[in-house]
């Protein structure tokens, strides 16, 4: 376990005083790695908050070039980077904030070909992918490699988040046995909505790593920012789940 430097103790002074966290919690963050799949509206904020909080390593997977239509929510992308790779913009901005941060950067989205390898590089996964195909792949690999996964999703002014502990809590396939028919690639979104869920996802990752508070295991937190209603919904494992069911070794 790497110890905190004097500079790190100074940078993280205000969170080290959080009851139940302390220097021990900060050391756990320093020695931990988190995979964020896609650094868009959700993932940009997860990555920025974790970089600010002093996570040791981020593994980032995000393909494509920055578009003008990214800029209302993808906070690691900037106007001067339009037309250039998103992942480069993300790395540049995160390093500006925290030059101590180690980053494994992949200029591609999660796919069948790379999921196992990319998931193997991190202790915790935060799923910020908009497509169910990617979310299912990450869920499958998280369960196979026994790694906790924070699943964040949003649509318009609504959002939801849950934390999956393989074989202890329901997984994404328990929650959604089939891809919802209504799910679309492009949907209406404010950056403040994706940013809200991104902050919650970052906090879940910090809690998982530091052993702080209570995580959303077995609970789906749903929110509608149109009227600011937040609800906690209990979710159950499915014994015959093809990903985490009891018959799966
Ligand atoms: Zn399952």
């Amino acid at each position: 376990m790497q110890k905190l430097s004097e500079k790190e103790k100074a940078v993280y002074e205000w969170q080290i005083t959080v009851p139940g966290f302390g220097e021990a919690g900060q050391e756990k963050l320093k020695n931990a790695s988190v995979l964020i799949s896609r650094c868009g509206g959700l993932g940009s904020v997860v990555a920025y908050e974790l970089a600010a909080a002093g996570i040791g390593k981020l593994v980032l997977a995000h393909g494509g070039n920055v578009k003008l239509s990214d800029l209302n929510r993808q906070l690691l992308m900037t106007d001067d980077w339009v037309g250039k790779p998103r992942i480069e913009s993300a790395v540049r901005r995160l390093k500006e904030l925290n030059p101590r941060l180690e980053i494994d950067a992949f200029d591609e989205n999660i796919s069948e070909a790379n999921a196992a390898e990319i998931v193997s590089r991190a202790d915790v996964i935060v799923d910020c992918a908009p497509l169910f195909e990617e979310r299912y792949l990450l869920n499958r690999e998280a369960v196979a490699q026994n790694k906790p996964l924070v699943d964040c999703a949003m649509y318009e002014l609504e959002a939801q988040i849950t934390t999956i502990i393989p074989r202890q809590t329901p997984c994404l396939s328990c929650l959604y046995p089939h891809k919802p028919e209504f799910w679309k690639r492009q949907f209406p979104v404010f950056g403040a909505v994706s940013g809200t869920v991104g902050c919650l996802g970052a906090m879940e990752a910090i809690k998982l790593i530091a052993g702080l508070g209570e995580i959303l295991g077995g609970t789906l937190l749903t929110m509608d920012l149109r009227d600011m209603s937040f609800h906690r919904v209990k979710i159950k494992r499915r014994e015959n789940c093809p990903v985490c069911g009891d018959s799966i070794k």
Side-chain angles (χ1 to χ4, degrees):
M1 185 88 107
Q2 286 187 61
K3 297 285 183 192
L4 300 176
S5 67
E6 289 308 310
K7 181 172 181 182
E8 285 167 332
K9 286 180 189 174
V11 171
Y12 306 115
E13 182 182 348
W14 285 46
Q15 68 195 42
I16 284 174
T17 56
V18 170
F21 184 70
E23 281 192 21
Q26 192 64 50
E27 270 183 13
K28 287 178 183 167
L29 290 190
K30 177 175 180 169
N31 287 277
S33 52
V34 177
L35 162 62
I36 301 165
S37 75
R38 296 223 192 193
C39 302
L42 278 165
S44 275
V45 173
V46 175
Y48 209 56
E49 288 289 355
L50 290 179
I55 198 81
K57 183 170 95 168
L58 288 179
V59 182
L60 309 175
H62 195 64
N65 294 334
V66 178
K67 296 192 288 191
L68 281 174
S69 60
D70 294 342
L71 299 178
N72 80 319
R73 65 194 183 284
Q74 300 196 15
L75 297 189
L76 296 178
M77 313 304 158
T78 49
D79 192 89
D80 62 339
W81 218 261
V82 170
K84 295 193 266 188
R86 290 180 174 124
I87 194 73
E88 289 179 10
S89 187
V91 170
R92 175 188 57 125
R93 297 269 281 164
L94 292 167
K95 287 279 194 182
E96 282 172 2
L97 173 65
N98 181 353
R100 300 168 301 280
L101 174 66
E102 186 185 337
I103 303 177
D104 281 358
F106 292 86
D107 186 7
E108 55 192 327
N109 296 319
I110 294 291
S111 67
E112 188 71 55
N114 65 21
E117 149 69 9
I118 294 178
V119 165
S120 75
R121 290 170 176 253
D123 303 319
V124 172
I125 300 140
V126 184
D127 173 14
C128 301
L131 297 178
F132 256 83
E133 289 77 5
E134 285 173 57
R135 293 174 70 192
Y136 280 138
L137 271 175
L138 281 168
N139 179 64
R140 189 192 72 191
E141 281 307 321
V143 172
Q145 299 187 31
N146 200 27
K147 295 185 176 184
L149 180 145
V150 181
D151 186 81
C152 308
M154 58 156 305
Y155 184 91
E156 204 202 74
L157 269 71
E158 297 176 25
Q160 63 182 49
I161 176 171
T162 189
T163 295
I164 295 161
I165 307 295
R167 294 186 182 81
Q168 292 179 34
T169 71
C171 79
L172 190 68
S173 288
C174 294
L175 188 57
Y176 295 105
H178 307 288
K179 178 182 148 186
E181 288 301 320
F182 60 84
W183 208 263
K184 289 188 295 189
R185 170 69 188 87
Q186 187 168 347
F187 48 83
V189 50
F190 282 109
V193 180
S194 48
T196 298
V197 196
C199 282
L200 296 177
M203 200 62 232
E204 281 291 281
I206 290 168
K207 285 158 53 190
L208 275 164
I209 293 162
L212 179 68
E214 286 176 28
I215 56 163
L216 284 168
T219 300
L220 183 70
L221 177 66
T222 68
M223 60 211 82
D224 186 345
L225 273 61
R226 200 175 282 274
D227 61 5
M228 289 298 180
S229 55
F230 286 64
H231 297 283
R232 293 167 62 96
V233 182
K234 285 281 169 210
I235 51 176
K236 287 208 165 71
R237 276 186 77 198
R238 294 190 312 128
E239 283 174 20
N240 62 348
C241 172
V243 174
C244 77
D246 293 336
S247 62
I248 312 286
K249 289 279 182 275

